[in-house]
Amino acid sequence: MLSKAYDPKATEDRIYKMWEESGAFTANAKSEKESFTISMPPPNATGQLHLGHAVMLALQDIFARFQRMKGKEVLWVPGTDHAAIATESFVIKKLQKEKKMKDPRAQLGREALIGEIKDFVEASKSMIRGQVRKMGSSCDWSRERYTMDPTLNRCVNEVFVSMYRDGLIYRGHRIVNWDPKLQTTVSDDEIEYEERTEQFYTFKYGPFEISTSRPETKFGDKYVVMHPDDKRYTKYVHGQKMIVEWINGPIEATVIKDKAADPEFGTGVMTITPWHDHVDFELAERHKLEKQQIIGFDGKLLPIAGEFSGMSIEDARPKIVEKLKSKGLLVGIKEDYVHNVALSQRGKGMIEPQIKEQWFIDVNKRVVKWKRKELSLKEVMQEVVKSRLITIIPDRFEKTYFHWIDNLRDWCISRQIWWGHRIPVWYKDDRGTRDTHVGVQPPSGSGWEQDPDTLDTWFSSALWTWSTLIDPDLADEYALPLSELLLKSPDFLKFHPTDVMETGYDILFFWVARMILMTTYVTGSMPELEYGQVPFDTVYLHGLIRTRDGRKMSKSDPDTMIDPLDMIQKYGADALRLSMIVGQSPGNDSRLYEEKIAGYRNFVNKLWNASRFALMKCEEAKTDPSTITSLPHAKDLSLADRALLHALEVLIEDVTDGLAKYHLSEVGERIYAFVWEYFCDWYLELSKGTANVAVLVHVLRKILVLLHPYCPFVTEELWASVKASDAGMLLKNPWPNPKAERKDPEAFAQLQVLIDVITAIRRLRSEQGIEPGKEVSVTIFSKDHTALFDSQPEHIRRLGKVGSLTLSNKSEKLTNTAVAILSGAEVHLSLEGLIDVAAELKKLHAEHADLTRYLGSIEKKLQDKSFTDKAPPKVVEMEKKKMEETKEKLKKIDERLKSLS
RNA sequence: GGGCAAUUAGCUCAGCUGGUUAGAGCGCCACAUUGACAUUGUGGAGGUCACUGGUUCGAAUCCAGUAUUGCCCACCA
């Protein structure tokens, strides 16, 4: 016998273990079945899972379980990401804090620091494994991958070398986003802007006035730029030189005319600092101007600053302003200048643009093969979405995606950190010349030094969908090129392209776009793959989970954080999953709070108790539920049975259809409503007299099946008690096909009327205080006016095997009365004399007025030629029918009114 | 500056391509409840679908504009 309430803690771990040990999560590459593949976005191996992971795991698990039950060969690949910068800075901070190290990089050196990081990563990996299991994720642990696996490293090197040979990867001096705090480059996407109010200084610069918020960069400014059409400066010509007094004495300035100078801004004149500003850099490139470094990579001023050399920016700024002031060059200070300051996403340090030698991927060079065409990486990325090879849900993100690509610059892929895939390039200084080796494997011979930089973490995760499917045993066979590696891997052949990429919209650019870039590049030249494969067919983007009042949950504010593991502990994984899925639509943020989760815990418990009730009924009927294999013959089904079976068939249709379309929220709500309202509030109530256990068990089983993708634990647990003896575990149970012959809309409509009748009688009894045994007659209007119930025989017949009804004595439950109606017991009811005539009259008059108004609107509509001519005939028919029905209703009300008065 | 979206009940949100008199959960009010479910039931109140126009026989739904809010991208010396 089941316990009185569902206890997730006593169930979930046990059930998960059972699933895992059964091998049901393990995909078979040799299977004849159609495949369905999901690559799990690998969480960063830096510790705890948060709600973002929880929502992603819940969504993907629903996809996976649904498709598995539908009979597909499902592969869901789990894994973790090495998250280069995030992990390294996390571990460095940890070492500083826990081991009191000042500078762990310098103190430990490369090898030892990597060792520390590796240990940390291993620990968090096993933590994450446990947490992913807690969510109930049905992923294939035998295929777990990590973005730093040797196979992945091999793939990274292969792709790098190949792109290098194609001229897509190049090394160059470019202005990059330098993070002096973390001592590395960061990509454009890893920058955040913060609005700050700072002082804005205007200085005299020869005959001009120039303005800046950063005087400390101005030492090397020897170009003065103005718009070619600016009338104020027509007397100065491009290339004109002049001597101007500046911070550390006179310098030679050159006039540059360029449209980059906005005549509307300030004085319309500016000086430039090409080494430390993106725009200035481009301007300097255009005019082939000299570039000079002012600020060192440590964030301190270089010797060019003269007396300020070695000072940090913060210290130097006021002193420089002071000096310029004393020289009479300060024109003014604007105090409330608002502008955006670039900050590093990790560490929140100021970004100092610098010129550095870095590795880049060229996104504009048209050498990428795709479906026998030669395109640029940008063009391929656009092409696959335009041609619908990839669909993005919700589709508005396709616009965002295109917009991003339009503005995409070359991708800087090198990072000056130690944790990550090291760039597969080796150098050797040989009598003054420098040899370079770019290869998948290190060069032979001595004296070679590998490039110290590592690759952007997204470079390796961009290969995720297919690099995880390569047979690890083949990875060491360097004689095989990458294309052969893929074609010899059974998993790749069976499971790629993957079916759905489910992830947060916040990493559409970081990751999704880059997977498209890399996968199309790698497969585009392969005839075996029809000259190009996409990484996935569908991209499903979920939104962020926010707090109740719409704020972001952040680690710095622990009060706002909801820890998924706490919630699982408190309410169970099933309840948590429902609370994140139902009410969440793709691409939109949603809010989560404990009451919501508690609400779904109540639902899970309701289902549990409904099952308990069904089992109790089986016991009463001395029927072992496991022996129930079929439904009784149609003639032995009551009205309620037929109505419920009808509703179930409709539910199966809706759920199957909705899940295929990824309408998860809607489907969840649909099942929720069916279980609570139809199954529990209608059917179980009606079953309290005599129950048809076969129908009970049949419907309950179907509910468990349909709900399994959403609530895997509780459904599997209940399944054990109600399943047929020859059925296996629920997660492998076949998905039901809707059966049209079980549909019975007539019965469903009749039951609805009946429910209305019962409800009305209950109400009357409580409102009027009807004495037991007293005979009354009653007229009851159903909500939708489709049927009226009174003691007239024809209506009674409409309701099925109904004789008439009574309230015989006080102790008898109203629900029993309902059962009496259903089983056709011969009872008599007359509520005459107890009806509140005045109240009924009032109600009838109100209804009459409503209906008359409604009728008027329909009649008007039907007289309107433009309606009858233009509206589809079906609609006109419908309106006519509505008119007839309304007239009918009005007639009845009229009759009733007459009889009352 | 460029782009994307949102605005529906007290709160959180559905409402899929225009079609009966707009829905759910929570909350609120009243009543019931030894009952499968101290996690339940029944009923109720509560909405000019942000605003203004337009298209249409018909608009929460499509279009334009306005207001407010949020997000993304770029970034100005």
Side-chain angles (χ1 to χ4, degrees), chain A residues 414-471:
Chain A
S414 45
R415 296 289 182 275
Q416 288 67 51
I417 56 170
W418 290 342
W419 181 240
H421 292 281
R422 202 157 166 182
I423 289 175
V425 178
W426 287 260
Y427 311 102
K428 184 175 173 180
D429 287 320
D430 192 15
R431 274 164 289 171
T433 59
R434 197 176 198 206
D435 291 340
T436 303
H437 169 90
V438 179
V440 178
Q441 284 179 290
S444 50
S446 61
W448 290 96
E449 279 287 331
Q450 189 169 4
D451 193 303
D453 289 358
T454 50
L455 286 166
D456 181 7
T457 193
W458 300 105
F459 190 102
S460 49
S461 38
L463 320 178
W464 189 243
T465 61
W466 49 266
S467 61
T468 51
L469 299 177
I470 288 178
D471 195 338

Side-chain angles (χ1 to χ4, degrees), chain A residues 32-165:
Chain A
E32 296 286 307
K33 295 189 224 166
E34 201 184 327
S35 73
F36 183 87
T37 317
I38 306 176
S39 281
M40 182 189 295
N44 290 354
T46 51
Q48 292 274 323
L49 286 194
H50 51 72
L51 273 178
H53 296 119
V55 73
M56 132 192 144
L57 292 169
L59 284 163
Q60 288 166 35
D61 197 42
I62 293 174
F63 300 156
R65 285 180 190 268
F66 172 59
Q67 297 293 348
R68 195 177 288 118
M69 292 169 98
K70 286 272 280 182
K72 298 243 179 96
E73 188 64 32
V74 171
L75 170 60
W76 184 12
V77 184
T80 40
D81 193 289
H82 69 283
I85 296 182
T87 314
E88 183 166 314
S89 66
F90 190 93
V91 172
I92 286 178
K93 259 186 221 145
K94 201 168 139 209
L95 289 170
Q96 285 169 335
K97 210 172 147 194
E98 289 171 11
K99 298 200 177 164
K100 306 271 177 247
M101 285 189 187
K102 260 200 160 162
D103 186 353
R105 278 171 74 106
Q107 280 167 274
L108 291 171
R110 187 161 190 145
E111 292 286 303
L113 182 65
I114 286 179
E116 289 280 347
I117 297 174
K118 273 187 178 163
D119 292 346
F120 167 76
V121 162
E122 278 314 311
S124 30
K125 268 158 86 175
S126 68
M127 206 146 89
I128 286 168
R129 282 185 203 115
Q131 292 169 347
V132 171
R133 285 179 167 89
K134 281 270 178 205
M135 282 297 296
S137 319
S138 62
C139 46
D140 186 347
W141 292 105
S142 73
R143 287 176 168 88
E144 186 193 345
R145 294 288 186 270
Y146 173 49
T147 54
M148 287 273 275
D149 282 341
T151 313
L152 276 274
N153 184 251
R154 162 90 191 266
C155 293
V156 164
N157 290 352
E158 293 271 4
V159 171
F160 186 98
V161 172
S162 161
M163 287 185 129
Y164 179 80
R165 293 200 178 131

